[in-house]
């Protein structure tokens, strides 16, 4: 019996983009969410992140969804690591964050955006960990963080 490789782009999108219970379970298992903040329900969003100004960069992510609290999750599979992929992850998460508000809404309504990237290569060869969690922190006082 042959199985489809979940690292294949099409297979990955079918598994996590069409089966909310699998995507929800996966996100709750992998992301550092508090026990009282686990994802209960997901709504799939367009994977296309279209800019407000047409001449700016348009991107497509593998899976983009939102939970009932309004938090967005971008899930991507990357087979080959490149330095530009790191920038693309930050770019896509930032774009999803910014697109939450129009001119009439207040900044306090912004919800967190989580970007989960599965990379088939070790992009931090000096570290033994396979899981890397990045946040915006104060360099001199890392316990001070910008939420969201």
């Amino acid at each position: 019996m042959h199985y489809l490789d979940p690292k294949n782009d099409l297979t990955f999108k079918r598994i996590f983009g069409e089966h909310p219970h699998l995507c929800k379970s996966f996100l709750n298992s992998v992301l550092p969410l508090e026990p009282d903040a686990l994802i209960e329900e997901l709504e799939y969003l367009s994977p296309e992140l279209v800019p407000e100004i047409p001449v700016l960069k348009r991107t497509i992510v593998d899976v983009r969804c939102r939970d009932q609290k309004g938090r967005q999750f971008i899930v991507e599979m990357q087979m080959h690591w490149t330095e530009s992929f790191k920038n693309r992850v930050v770019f896509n998460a930032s774009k999803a964050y910014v697109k939450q508000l129009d001119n009439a809404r207040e900044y306090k309504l912004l919800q967190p955006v989580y970007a989960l990237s599965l990379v088939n290569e070790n992009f931090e060869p000096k570290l033994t960990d396979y899981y890397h969690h990045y946040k915006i922190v104060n360099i001199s006082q890392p316990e001070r963080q910008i939420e969201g």
Side-chain angles (χ1 to χ4, degrees):
M1 178 180 277
H2 294 279
Y3 294 97
L4 296 174
D5 185 354
K7 295 180 298 208
N8 174 284
D9 199 43
L10 229 54
T11 307
F12 185 87
K13 288 177 183 181
R14 293 280 313 244
I15 292 170
F16 295 109
E18 295 180 16
H19 301 281
H21 68 287
L22 294 176
C23 189
K24 179 184 82 166
S25 177
F26 180 67
L27 292 171
N28 281 333
S29 298
V30 175
L31 291 174
L33 302 174
E34 298 295 324
D36 62 341
L38 294 177
I39 301 163
E40 295 174 18
E41 189 175 316
L42 288 175
E43 165 198 1
Y44 286 103
L45 303 171
S46 169
E48 187 173 18
L49 294 165
V50 180
E52 298 294 320
I53 303 170
V55 296
L56 296 179
K57 188 116 178 102
R58 170 186 164 270
T59 55
I60 297 176
V61 298
D62 290 340
V63 177
R64 185 167 72 109
C65 49
R66 177 180 22 240
D67 72 359
Q68 74 281 2
K69 294 178 182 178
R71 301 175 296 183
Q72 282 190 58
F73 302 87
I74 296 171
V75 188
E76 292 197 80
M77 177 71 221
Q78 182 70 21
M79 289 299 292
H80 302 290
W81 175 256
T82 63
E83 279 300 315
S84 64
F85 180 70
K86 190 184 327 180
N87 295 336
R88 194 173 88 205
V89 171
V90 174
F91 181 78
N92 287 339
S94 299
K95 192 185 294 187
Y97 191 73
V98 168
K99 287 177 68 75
Q100 293 180 60
L101 295 182
D102 56 28
N103 291 339
R105 299 188 62 188
E106 297 179 41
Y107 291 111
K108 67 180 181 180
L109 298 173
L110 286 168
Q111 294 296 316
V113 173
Y114 295 86
L116 176 61
S117 300
L118 302 159
V119 182
N120 195 40
E121 296 178 13
N122 185 355
F123 73 94
E124 294 274 12
K126 294 181 180 174
L127 301 177
T128 58
D129 298 341
Y130 66 90
Y131 180 86
H132 307 281
H133 180 196
Y134 294 91
K135 292 182 175 184
I136 299 175
V137 301
N138 181 314
I139 297 297
S140 62
Q141 299 173 353
E143 69 281 356
R144 306 289 299 162
Q145 301 173 8
I146 296 177
E147 296 299 319

